[in-house]
Each structure stands twice: as structure tokens, then as C-alpha cells.
Amino acid sequence: MNHHSLRVIDHPLVQHKLTLMRMRETTTDNFRRLLREISQVLAYEVTRDLPTAMVRISTPLTEMFSPLISGKKLCVVSILRAGNGMLDGVLDFMPAARVGHIGLYRDPQTLQAVEYYFKMPTDISERLVVVVDPMLATGHSAIAAIDRLKAAGATSIRFVCLLAAPEGVTAVYQAHPDVVIICAARDEYLNDHGYIVPGLGDAGDRLFGTR
Ligand code: URA
């Protein structure tokens, strides 16, 4: 098993907020706010190595060379629906990014991802794509989303999640070894229903209060 590209963000603030999110009694509004806050930090980490170029500018006092981001422009892709809980936090940090959406649901019998929606910016092939989905469980949705993004022309893809199951990480790296994964925690295992353990339950239901 090769986890060389899995980055776990063990910042104390992230771990503290994640513990609150895991707690059964955390309310929908707090869960949503905490996911947004953690997503800001994950966005910071996933863009840590973006290239910059020095440009000459004038401050009110003098002239200087100062760095501006010089590489590909960004596109954040949310895997519906739970990915939307990360979107605003990521966009807080990169407000000029374009946004794509992929609708996938998990067939409850096979646990396979079935696509029902796909809308991307037309220049996706020229952008660094940051895919967001809080729970990397079996990896089926992540792999299907990345397959589809590559088919649409994306060449540079990173995957940001809150919790990653070892099974999902292995599956994504087998299918897409070029994709870096960033998470707040790598949990223990998947149960028979495809839920991450210890996990936090169904992220979509907890975000939107649907159960
Ligand atoms: N999706 C969720 O929302 N939770 C899990 O534990 C696994 C997949």
C-alpha cells in the first residue's frame, strides 16, 4: 500500500474542530460551520506549493519585486452533495477560482458511484483542479469523479477530504497515482455499509439536517 502522497493535516485547530464534528450531539449549524472552517485550512495546505513569480510593483513608499501566483488558474470541483459543505471554506481562501459540480450517488447495493450531473468550466484542461468531498470511503465516487474529470481534459488534480478510509486511499492511488490526497484524518476502516469508522456518520445528512 502506497500512501506516499497522502497528507494528513494534523494542525491542533483542525484536530480540535474535527473532534467536535465527530461528536454525535454536534448540531447541524455547528457541523456546517466547523466543516467550512476546516476546509479553509485544507485549502491553504493544498495550495502550499503553487508556483509564484516575482513582479515589480510600487508600494506607496518605493518599488520592489514581490511574488504573485504564476501557474495554472484554479477550479474547485464539488462532489454533490456533501462536497458543497467544503466549497465555501475553500472559496474563502481562493475566491477567484472557478467551480464545477459532479453529481454522484452511491448505489446502496453495489456501493458503486452513479453519475447524474456534470458541469465544469470549459477551460478545465488549463486549470489545477481541487476536488472536494468530505468522506473518502470506498473511493468509488472519488475515482469516478477523477475518471470523468480526466476524460473532460483535466491533467492536474488534487483531492481534498475531511476523513479518509485506508481502503479508499488505496483504491484512489491504484486508479490515479498522480493525484495527491489531503485529509484531516486517516480513520481506521470501512464497515459493511461503507461507512468510515470511527468516522462521523453521514456527512450529507449531518450537514443538511436530512436525518
Ligand atoms: N459517506 C459518509 O457520509 N460517511 C461515511 O462514513 C462514508 C461515506
Side-chain angles (χ1 to χ4, degrees), residues 131-145:
V131 182
V132 296
D133 189 358
M135 309 298 272
L136 175 54
T138 60
H140 294 158
S141 301
I143 291 168

Side-chain angles (χ1 to χ4, degrees), residues 56-79:
R56 191 180 187 91
I57 61 165
S58 303
T59 78
L61 301 181
T62 186
E63 298 212 327
M64 69 177 291
F65 283 95
S66 194
L68 283 179
I69 289 176
S70 63
K72 292 184 172 187
K73 293 198 166 66
L74 295 160
C75 176
V76 187
V77 172
S78 167
I79 301 182

Side-chain angles (χ1 to χ4, degrees), residues 7 40 68 88 124 144 160 181 188:
R7 287 196 49 215
Q40 292 171 345
L68 283 179
D88 286 341
I124 187 88
V160 181
I181 304 173
E188 288 169 25

Side-chain angles (χ1 to χ4, degrees), residues 95-112:
R98 297 291 168 91
V99 178
H101 292 89
I102 302 185
L104 298 166
Y105 68 88
R106 262 205 309 186
D107 183 296
Q109 255 76 54
T110 63
L111 302 183
Q112 292 294 330

Side-chain angles (χ1 to χ4, degrees), residues 17 20-21 26-40 85 207:
K17 290 173 194 291
L20 297 177
M21 290 187 74
T26 296
T27 57
T28 299
D29 55 340
N30 281 331
F31 189 92
R32 200 180 292 147
R33 177 181 52 78
L34 289 161
L35 182 56
R36 180 180 180 142
E37 290 169 359
I38 292 178
S39 300
Q40 292 171 345
L207 263 172

